[in-house]
Amino acid sequence: QVQLVESGGDLVQPGGSLRLSCVASGFIFSSASMAWYRQAPGKQREYVARITSGGVSNVLPSVKGRFTISRDNAKNTVYLQMSSLKTEDTAVYYCNAIVSYATSFWGQGTQVTVSS
């Protein structure tokens, strides 16, 4: 079965860094566009970053320069490196895979809490 397993979420102080990982299985990872979304309390799920199968990335303007998305196809893993974290970044972060216009998969999420 398809699985997307996120890890790396933690409690971190403002200005700190975290690297989230998402390990995928059950589909052809190398052909999929991968993305990270987040959902803060009381808010809708929000796009954060994506990376194509060719390694071309895009991030939400508000996190540009602080967050970097990358992938390692040999490990079936997508990463989100987060630096200069702000309290506003607090959310559950979800890994997303899109293999076609009609086929997508979601992980269970990992909690990132930025607080002093």
Side-chain angles (χ1 to χ4, degrees):
Q1 73 280 56
V2 171
Q3 289 189 85
L4 296 173
V5 182
E6 301 99 330
S7 63
D10 205 351
L11 171 64
V12 64
Q13 295 184 167
S17 299
L18 285 173
R19 188 177 75 161
L20 307 184
S21 299
C22 172
V23 179
S25 61
F27 65 97
I28 304 174
F29 179 83
S30 61
S31 70
S33 177
M34 303 297 298
W36 288 94
Y37 287 72
R38 65 187 181 186
Q39 188 166 22
K43 303 295 183 180
Q44 290 186 286
R45 193 167 297 186
E46 173 187 47
Y47 163 83
V48 177
R50 73 174 180 180
I51 186 166
T52 70
S53 60
V56 178
S57 64
N58 181 74
V59 300
L60 183 69
S62 65
V63 305
K64 185 176 178 64
R66 301 190 297 118
F67 290 13
T68 301
I69 188 170
S70 62
R71 68 192 296 159
D72 186 339
N73 287 346
K75 297 181 178 180
N76 281 187
T77 302
V78 63
Y79 304 95
L80 186 67
Q81 178 66 53
M82 305 185 294
S83 300
S84 301
L85 283 162
K86 305 174 180 180
T87 57
E88 301 96 308
D89 297 318
T90 295
V92 177
Y93 284 71
Y94 296 91
C95 181
N96 173 249
I98 301 175
V99 300
S100 76
Y101 80 98
T103 306
S104 64
F105 309 110
W106 292 91
Q108 294 295 306
T110 185
Q111 177 71 51
V112 172
T113 302
V114 185
S115 177
S116 59

